[in-house]
Amino acid sequence: MNRIFALTISIAMLNVAVFADDNDLKDTYLDPATAPIDYKIQGEYEGTAGPEAVKFGVQVIALGDGKFRMVSYTGGLPNADRSHKDVKVEIDGELEGDAAVFANELFKIEIANGELAVSTVADGILRGTLYKVQRESDTLGAKPPAGAVVLFDGSSADAFEGGKLQGDLLAANCFSREKFGDHTLHLEFRTPFKPKARGQARGNSGVYMQSRYELQVLDSFGLAGKNNECGGIYSIAEPNVNMCFPPLQWQTYDIDFTAARYDDQGNKTKNARATIRHNGVVIHDDLELPHGTPGRHPEGPEADALYLQGHGNPVVYRNIWVVKK
C-alpha cells in the first residue's frame, strides 16, 4: 500500500525536454527523490486524538517555501461515505527545522518522520498521534477485459495522434485515433508536484470524453472540489466528493459513458450521461451532461476520440483501455 511510483533521474530529464513550454520547471518535481522536504510532509494522515480517542483524517498541502495548509476531518479522510466538505479545522503552518509546525490558541501540531503529534498549548501534553498513510485506488492496475480496445499499455503511443512516450508513460496533449460512442474507459494519471503553483497552474490536464466533455485533471488535493478542479466536469458539475490524492501518486478514472442521441435531422433528443469513479469512489452517478465543454469539439451525433488535454504541465497517463458498448 505504501508504494511510490517514481521516475529515474534520466527520465526526469526527458520530462524537461518534452514539457519545455512549462514556464516554471525549476519548481516542478517529477521524482520524489529530488523533491524538497515539503513533499515528505505533504500527504494524508489518520489516527486518534483527545480523551475519547476520536478518529481524525488530515490532509497536509505543501504551498512552497516551507509553508503548508492543513485540513482536518472528524471521522477520517474523505471517501465514499464521508464528504470532503465536513471540514473540522483548517490551519496554516511552516517548517521549523525538519518538522512542520501548526498552532492556534488551543493546539500545537508538529509533523515529522511520518507522524503528526497533537498537544495542547496550555500544558504541552500530547493529546493524540496520527500517522501518514498512502491510499491506493482499488482499480489501480486494472487489466483490460477480453474484447477491450487497449489504447496505451506503455509500449507504444501509436494509438494516439500526437502521442509522445515519456519512458513507458504517455504525455498529455494527444487524442486517440479511434473514435467511440457508448463506452467504458479506464485510465491512470499522475500530476507533478508544483508546490508554488496555484489554481489551474498546478498540474493541469483534462480527460475529454468524446473530445466534448472535460473531466478535469488537476492537483486539487485538499481543496474544495469545484467543477474546475480534479473530478469536476468543467462548467457542469463538481464531484460528489474530492477524492484527489497528493501529487506524484497514481490515480484512476473509471468512466461509464453514454453518448448523446440525435434524430435523423441532427437534433439532439437525449443528453449524454456519465458515471465516474475517481480512485475507486463514485463521484458522479449517472450524471446528465446538458452541453459540451470548451477545449476541443462541439457536441454532435458522430463518435469521437478520447482527448487528453495538454496545458504545458507534465501530467502523464498509463493503462488506458476502452470497452465499447
Side-chain angles (χ1 to χ4, degrees):
M1 292 294 291
N2 289 321
R3 294 181 298 166
I4 296 179
F5 297 89
L7 295 177
T8 63
I9 297 297
S10 60
I11 293 177
M13 292 305 294
L14 177 60
N15 291 345
V16 174
V18 171
F19 298 101
D21 56 340
D22 186 347
N23 59 13
D24 198 21
L25 283 172
K26 64 183 176 60
D27 295 314
T28 299
Y29 303 92
L30 309 177
D31 183 350
T34 64
I37 190 174
D38 306 46
Y39 178 78
K40 295 180 180 179
I41 290 171
Q42 176 177 263
E44 298 187 311
Y45 297 77
E46 280 192 322
T48 59
E52 298 180 359
V54 175
K55 184 177 180 180
F56 287 93
V58 166
Q59 295 179 322
V60 179
I61 308 157
L63 301 176
D65 295 326
K67 298 185 184 302
F68 302 88
R69 175 158 300 141
M70 173 186 296
V71 184
S72 70
Y73 312 87
T74 303
L77 295 165
N79 59 23
D81 303 313
R82 187 175 303 110
S83 174
H84 66 283
K85 298 178 182 179
D86 296 334
V87 175
K88 177 70 174 178
V89 174
E90 286 191 64
I91 184 173
D92 291 338
E94 58 186 334
L95 278 178
E96 293 184 10
D98 291 334
V101 177
F102 305 76
N104 58 22
E105 65 277 8
L106 297 176
F107 297 101
K108 179 180 179 181
I109 299 168
E110 185 170 325
I111 303 175
N113 300 317
E115 295 186 6
L116 184 156
V118 183
S119 59
T120 45
V121 171
D123 53 22
I125 295 176
L126 182 67
R127 301 297 179 178
T129 304
L130 283 66
Y131 300 92
K132 193 171 188 180
V133 298
Q134 184 166 312
R135 295 189 288 174
E136 187 176 277
S137 169
D138 61 7
T139 69
L140 192 69
K143 303 298 183 184
V149 178
V150 177
L151 293 177
F152 185 73
D153 64 3
S155 62
S156 169
D158 289 348
F160 286 87
E161 185 73 32
K164 294 182 181 179
L165 283 176
Q166 184 183 331
D168 60 354
L169 307 176
L170 179 68
N173 197 26
C174 57
F175 59 92
S176 64
R177 297 181 189 277
E178 189 158 354
K179 298 179 179 182
F180 303 98
D182 297 352
H183 65 275
T184 297
L185 166 70
H186 171 88
L187 60 73
E188 301 172 10
F189 66 93
R190 189 187 63 196
T191 60
F193 179 48
K194 299 182 67 176
K196 293 184 180 181
R198 299 292 182 269
Q200 299 297 300
R202 201 167 165 113
N204 196 347
S205 181
V207 173
Y208 277 71
M209 298 167 277
Q210 276 199 332
S211 293
R212 296 171 173 134
Y213 314 94
E214 181 184 9
L215 173 59
Q216 185 80 314
V217 171
L218 192 72
D219 173 14
S220 304
F221 173 62
L223 300 186
K226 301 300 184 182
N227 67 46
N228 65 345
E229 296 176 356
C230 203
I233 307 293
Y234 188 71
S235 77
I236 294 178
E238 62 185 44
N240 295 332
V241 58
N242 179 5
M243 280 303 301
C244 191
F245 288 164
L248 295 185
Q249 288 184 217
W250 281 102
Q251 307 189 54
T252 60
Y253 276 149
D254 291 275
I255 302 170
D256 187 17
F257 177 79
T258 301
R261 298 305 197 245
Y262 290 78
D263 62 23
D264 293 341
Q265 287 71 47
N267 301 306
K268 187 167 66 168
T269 58
K270 287 186 179 180
N271 289 323
R273 308 188 76 91
T275 294
I276 299 170
R277 287 190 293 163
H278 184 191
N279 291 326
V281 173
V282 175
I283 60 169
H284 299 287
D285 189 4
D286 194 26
L287 176 70
E288 185 172 6
L289 305 174
H291 55 79
T293 59
R296 191 157 193 255
H297 290 166
E299 289 187 296
E302 67 280 353
D304 210 336
L306 166 65
Y307 174 46
L308 304 178
Q309 186 185 48
H311 268 292
N313 275 257
V315 176
V316 287
Y317 295 86
R318 70 178 189 186
N319 192 19
I320 307 172
W321 47 263
V322 173
V323 177
K324 296 180 180 179
K325 295 192 292 183

